């Protein structure tokens, strides 16, 4: 890969970097979860990789492509990696259990251009439970799949909603209250559907469909990411990369409001030196870490601070990596995989919070700055600035009383 930007000193390691982990032949899709990686290949095969045992790669034939429409377009891996779906360009969808070596074609999803999948958080080894999927035309379905025996399944799919546009992002989770939360994006809109405790997916959409809650921005493309910290009981933030910029904010489920998006703002593109050289400013993928956004463009990637909105690292992709395809995140291990047709990279994160105390201090958030300060000198600086601020405020209050 080409030169790295954003280093203040050659002696200081970058916070973010990419390292090549695997060199596939004509990769078309990738998914990851529970320390497993599933790769879809142009040859019509998938490969399963255990991150903890990367030397053993399992190759499984799915289809024998006769044309481009017969190739694998997307793969999806459930949170436990027990279940996977494989989408083919001709509209077929295959199911593969982790213990199987041969996938089965799903009858209920014939001629479906599968775009996105959001798995049931209560899945088990033999059954998926009811989960959500969406087509490229905006039709959304609930489906459940259970094993009868190896190579044979029981399946049931039901159409429940349509956004009437390509679904570019889909997220489903069960909140601590027991309610289901769904986030859906298309090129111009970001929908959120908040269920009530005990409601099924079908019941949530039946109640919310007549008057859905959504935010709209003009544009013709978007991609969606949601972040949940390792010690958080629910997702806490979102990032929707649109044609205009990254619309991002928090997620709050503390009240009964249907709109759970909080403190949203728009981060415009064009930051950093690598985007100035190219007239392509809309990312093809985005992911969120604790303190940063990582944006994947077709020629480079950028890590941008969520606190300062400044580019922390940026780097060009080498032409030998092939066509850049996207990024996949394993929520169980907080690991991220950036993938291209001829290369799969691990996103290395080194001491992400090293400058956070300073960023909080610059914002006047002294308690947060103290929380992340690591050295006595840093804490002293925070306390000094806090004392100055409180002293200034005290003088202002005294003037107010005198008047």
């Amino acid at each position: 890969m080409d030169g790295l930007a954003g280093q203040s000193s050659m002696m200081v390691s970058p916070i973010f970097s990419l390292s090549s982990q695997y060199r596939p032949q004509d990769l078309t899709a990738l998914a990851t979860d529970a320390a497993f990686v599933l790769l879809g290949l142009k040859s019509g095969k998938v490969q399963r990789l255990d991150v903890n045992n990367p030397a053993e790669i399992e190759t499984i034939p799915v289809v024998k492509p006769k044309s481009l429409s017969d190739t694998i377009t997307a793969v999806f891996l459930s949170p436990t990696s027990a279940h996977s779906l494989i989408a083919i360009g001709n509209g077929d969808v295959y199911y593969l259990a982790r213990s199987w070596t041969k996938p089965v074609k799903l009858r209920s999803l014939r001629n479906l251009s599968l775009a996105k999948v959001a798995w049931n958080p209560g899945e088990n080894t033999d059954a998926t439970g009811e989960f959500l999927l969406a087509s490229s035309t905006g039709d959304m379905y609930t489906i459940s799949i259970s094993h009868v025996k190896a190579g044979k399944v029981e399946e049931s799919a039901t159409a429940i909603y349509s956004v009437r546009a390509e679904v570019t992002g889909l997220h489903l989770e069960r909140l601590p209250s027991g309610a289901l939360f769904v986030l859906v994006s298309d090129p111009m809109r970001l929908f959120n559907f908040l269920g009530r405790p005990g409601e099924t997916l079908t019941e949530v959409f039946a109640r919310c469909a007549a008057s859905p809650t959504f935010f709209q921005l003009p544009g013709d493309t978007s991609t969606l990411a949601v972040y949940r910290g390792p010690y958080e009981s629910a997702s806490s933030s979102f990032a929707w990369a649109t044609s205009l910029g990254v619309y991002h904010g928090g997620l709050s489920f503390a009240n009964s409001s249907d709109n759970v998006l909080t403190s949203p703002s728009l981060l415009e593109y064009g930051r950093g030196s690598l985007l100035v050289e190219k007239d392509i400013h809309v990312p093809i993928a985005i992911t969120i870490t604790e303190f940063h956004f990582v944006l994947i463009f077709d020629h480079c990637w950028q890590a941008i601070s969520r606190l300062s909105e400044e580019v922390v690292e940026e780097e060009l992709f080498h032409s030998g990596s092939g066509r850049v395809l996207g990024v996949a995140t394993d929520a169980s291990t907080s690991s991220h995989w950036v993938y291209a047709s001829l290369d799969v990279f691990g996103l290395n994160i080194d001491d992400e919070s090293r400058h956070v105390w300073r960023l909080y201090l610059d914002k006047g958030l002294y308690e947060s700055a103290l929380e992340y300060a690591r050295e006595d000198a840093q804490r002293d600086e925070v306390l000094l600035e806090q004392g100055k601020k409180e002293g200034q405020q005290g003088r202002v209050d005294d003037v107010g009383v005198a008047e």
Side-chain angles (χ1 to χ4, degrees), residues 90-93 105-113 155:
N90 62 12
D92 290 336
V93 180
K105 186 189 295 186
L106 296 178
R107 299 184 307 275
S108 61
L109 299 180
R110 286 195 186 109
N111 301 317
L112 178 75
S113 180
E155 54 180 294

Side-chain angles (χ1 to χ4, degrees), residues 124-187:
N124 59 50
T125 303
D126 296 322
T128 62
E130 185 183 51
F131 66 101
L132 195 59
L133 53 84
S135 73
S136 60
T137 57
D139 298 320
M140 299 175 62
Y141 302 81
T142 58
I143 182 171
S144 59
I145 303 170
S146 58
H147 302 180
V148 176
K149 58 182 180 180
K152 186 175 178 61
V153 298
E154 290 183 349
E155 54 180 294
S156 176
T158 305
I160 59 168
Y161 192 67
S162 179
V163 298
R164 296 181 176 85
E166 179 185 4
V167 173
T168 60
L170 186 61
H171 173 78
L172 165 67
E173 68 178 285
R174 186 176 297 279
L175 303 175
S177 66
L180 293 169
F181 167 62
V182 180
L183 204 57
V184 185
S185 66
D186 68 20

Side-chain angles (χ1 to χ4, degrees), residues 347-380:
L347 177 66
N348 306 309
I349 305 176
D350 181 17
D351 194 11
E352 182 181 9
S353 64
R354 66 177 77 165
H355 302 308
V356 166
W357 75 275
R358 168 66 67 185
L359 297 175
Y360 278 131
L361 177 59
D362 291 343
K363 288 177 173 290
L365 301 174
Y366 302 113
E367 294 302 321
S368 296
L370 285 172
E371 179 182 351
Y372 286 94
R374 302 176 181 180
E375 302 172 1
D376 288 342
Q378 294 174 354
R379 284 185 283 271
D380 290 344

